Amino acid sequence: MIRKSTEIRQAQIKKAVLDIISEEGLHSISSRNVAKRVGITDGAIFRHFKSKPAILKSIMDDVKSGLLADLRAIASDDGNPESRLYRFLSTNIKYLMQNRGIAILLYSEAAHLNYKELRNQLHSVLSEQKSLISKIIRDGMKGGNWKKSVNIDDAAILYMGILIIFNVKLFMAGKDVAVDNYCKRMFNLMEEVLK
Amino acid sequence: MIRKSTEIRQAQIKKAVLDIISEEGLHSISSRNVAKRVGITDGAIFRHFKSKPAILKSIMDDVKSGLLADLRAIASDDGNPESRLYRFLSTNIKYLMQNRGIAILLYSEAAHLNYKELRNQLHSVLSEQKSLISKIIRDGMKGGNWKKSVNIDDAAILYMGILIIFNVKLFMAGKDVAVDNYCKRMFNLMEEVLK
DNA sequence: TTACGCAGTAAGCATTTACTTACTTAAGGT
DNA sequence: ACCTTAAGTAAGTAAATGCTTACTGCGTAA
């Protein structure tokens, strides 16, 4: 019986949850299953998190301070809009590729979860993503890089569609999705619409 | 205690399942919950369907003989590709609008369900949809309506993205999504890419 | 009028779930 | 070396799950 601090265990528990989601699906994140992966009993889980939704909430907080912080930085940096769009897209896609559990949480299942507060958090993550990409597009139109006739909201929808479809591809194709290739093709698709 | 035939009860049970999915989410379709909506006890459910997955399978069969049959007809009728694309899209979208439980099943949750056979059926519905839209696009390229430089697969992905995003909008916006408007805007978006 | 098939019920099955409780013991500061 | 703190366990809980069982009684065809 090796003992570890709550801080370490919380990280292990969150990792176990995400691994299970990507390997077995959301329905498999039971206390017992998670505990087994961490190497403790299910009772111990509740020493480190007060409830199961609290684990998921903590994961969403990580997304906010990780991915969203990066995206925020890109959306407002001093590159030109094309460059920002491309980096935004590929940062986003690569994050989803490397954090498949989170991808599933964000884009397929969490929306229909039981936990109300979690759903709100999901909402806010998605809508911030959308407003960041809208900003880049708006900048590009203002700067004359792209035509102004396209509805910004439609273009943002297209962007979200690209993310979701990537998630579906990940799910169906397994490990090996050609990320760089996908990013380039989808960047071109967006430019096709915007130019 | 009113008695009804198995045929009628099966239809009622399927309707109850879809209503529950759209109102409460997939996690709520327990035997007891479904039975309550139908107005019978949970034991009676298993007189009309041999198992819970069998209910979902029967629903997928309905989708195949309903929506998919309509889409197949449109993809091969004698209208021009632009007209077929528009009617294909709006038939598809309107069906999802009017069958929200099925929309959720198809585009968000079922992919991660436990039941293997159901997942296969889902797969086949989605990939037939994709191959039908690919046919329309190919016809339009052959006929000179659209340029041939666009990757057909990318365009089909875009189409699927439009459907999925519609599903997300449905989920977030509640009842009132402007269907006709959405269809027109997304049709234009696709033409923007294809022309 | 009787008898039988089939839709229904109520109760209970084994299992799983999230979570709690009573207790034990490892570990670190003093 | 001791002693407090907190990480851990084992064994429970109540509720929910899918499904089965033993039985009841309606309606139709003989």
Side-chain angles (χ1 to χ4, degrees):
Chain A
M1 175 166 90
I2 297 153
R3 297 173 163 208
K4 304 237 168 103
S5 69
T6 285
E7 210 182 0
I8 291 173
R9 287 300 191 206
Q10 282 182 336
Q12 289 182 323
I13 290 165
K14 287 190 273 185
K15 183 177 186 313
V17 164
L18 290 173
D19 287 349
I20 291 170
I21 289 174
S22 76
E23 288 166 31
E24 303 170 43
L26 236 195
H27 57 85
S28 289
I29 45 167
S30 62
S31 330
R32 289 218 224 315
N33 207 3
V34 172
K36 210 168 109 189
R37 281 212 187 210
V38 175
I40 53 181
T41 56
D42 62 320
I45 296 268
F46 296 93
R47 175 171 304 280
H48 305 300
F49 284 101
K50 78 173 221 289
S51 70
K52 202 176 131 185
I55 303 174
L56 296 170
K57 182 180 181 322
S58 175
I59 289 172
M60 293 299 281
D61 287 341
D62 292 347
V63 173
K64 285 187 178 179
S65 60
L67 173 67
L68 273 192
D70 291 351
L71 292 182
R72 240 176 261 132
I74 292 172
S76 304
D77 76 15
D78 52 5
N80 63 35
E82 278 106 336
S83 151
R84 274 188 280 158
L85 174 59
Y86 187 76
R87 283 179 291 125
F88 194 92
L89 175 64
S90 74
T91 299
N92 213 332
I93 292 280
K94 277 169 190 157
Y95 181 88
L96 296 179
M97 179 77 179
Q98 279 152 26
N99 301 274
R100 297 188 56 175
I102 289 176
I104 291 172
L105 261 183
L106 280 179
Y107 293 104
S108 30
E109 299 202 70
H112 303 281
L113 272 181
N114 231 350
Y115 316 123
K116 200 172 158 192
E117 215 210 320
L118 188 65
R119 253 175 23 212
N120 292 341
Q121 280 210 293
L122 166 83
H123 240 105
S124 80
V125 169
L126 293 186
S127 65
E128 179 165 3
Q129 246 177 339
K130 200 176 155 193
S131 80
L132 289 172
I133 195 73
S134 295
K135 178 195 178 342
I136 295 178
I137 294 167
R138 198 164 23 246
D139 288 352
M141 288 178 175
K142 269 187 201 154
N145 309 71
W146 297 315
K147 65 188 175 201
K148 287 173 181 157
S149 59
V150 174
N151 183 330
I152 291 180
D153 210 53
D154 286 357
I157 285 177
L158 172 58
Y159 179 81
M160 298 304 283
I162 289 170
L163 294 185
I164 295 180
I165 285 284
F166 180 74
N167 192 45
V168 173
K169 283 172 95 72
L170 264 186
F171 174 71
M172 309 223 290
K175 295 271 164 203
D176 305 311
V177 176
V179 188
D180 287 329
N181 183 26
Y182 185 79
C183 287
K184 275 176 202 154
R185 280 164 56 197
M186 291 302 123
F187 176 72
N188 289 338
L189 194 75
M190 286 209 69
E191 285 237 297
E192 197 94 42
V193 171
L194 292 169
K195 272 194 170 163
Chain B
M1 174 167 91
I2 298 154
R3 311 174 90 184
K4 304 237 169 106
S5 69
T6 286
E7 212 183 356
I8 290 174
R9 287 300 192 207
Q10 282 182 335
Q12 290 182 321
I13 289 166
K14 287 191 273 185
K15 184 176 185 313
V17 164
L18 290 173
D19 287 348
I20 291 170
I21 288 174
S22 77
E23 289 166 31
E24 303 170 42
L26 236 193
H27 63 272
S28 288
I29 46 167
S30 64
S31 331
R32 277 152 176 84
N33 204 8
V34 171
K36 209 167 110 190
R37 279 213 188 211
V38 175
I40 53 180
T41 55
D42 63 319
I45 296 268
F46 297 93
R47 176 172 303 282
H48 305 300
F49 285 101
K50 78 174 221 288
S51 69
K52 201 178 133 183
I55 303 174
L56 295 170
K57 183 180 180 321
S58 175
I59 289 173
M60 293 300 280
D61 287 340
D62 293 346
V63 173
K64 285 186 178 179
S65 61
L67 173 66
L68 273 192
D70 290 351
L71 293 181
R72 240 177 259 132
I74 292 172
S76 305
D77 76 14
D78 52 5
N80 62 36
E82 279 105 336
S83 151
R84 275 189 277 156
L85 174 59
Y86 186 75
R87 283 179 292 126
F88 195 91
L89 175 64
S90 73
T91 299
N92 213 333
I93 292 280
K94 276 168 192 160
Y95 182 88
L96 295 179
M97 179 79 179
Q98 278 152 27
N99 300 274
R100 296 187 58 175
I102 289 175
I104 292 171
L105 260 183
L106 281 178
Y107 293 103
S108 30
E109 299 201 71
H112 303 279
L113 269 184
N114 234 350
Y115 315 124
K116 201 171 158 193
E117 216 210 318
L118 188 66
R119 251 177 21 214
N120 292 340
Q121 280 210 293
L122 165 84
H123 243 103
S124 82
V125 169
L126 293 186
S127 65
E128 179 164 4
Q129 246 177 339
K130 198 176 157 193
S131 80
L132 289 172
I133 195 73
S134 296
K135 179 195 177 341
I136 295 178
I137 295 167
R138 198 162 27 244
D139 287 353
M141 288 178 176
K142 270 187 199 154
N145 309 68
W146 297 317
K147 66 189 175 201
K148 287 174 180 155
S149 60
V150 174
N151 183 331
I152 291 180
D153 211 53
D154 286 356
I157 284 177
L158 171 58
Y159 179 81
M160 298 303 284
I162 289 170
L163 294 185
I164 295 180
I165 284 285
F166 179 73
N167 191 44
V168 173
K169 281 171 93 73
L170 263 186
F171 173 71
M172 309 223 291
K175 296 271 164 201
D176 305 309
V177 176
V179 188
D180 286 329
N181 184 25
Y182 185 78
C183 287
K184 275 176 203 154
R185 281 163 56 195
M186 292 301 124
F187 175 73
N188 290 338
L189 194 75
M190 286 209 70
E191 285 236 297
E192 200 93 42
V193 171
L194 291 168
K195 272 195 168 162

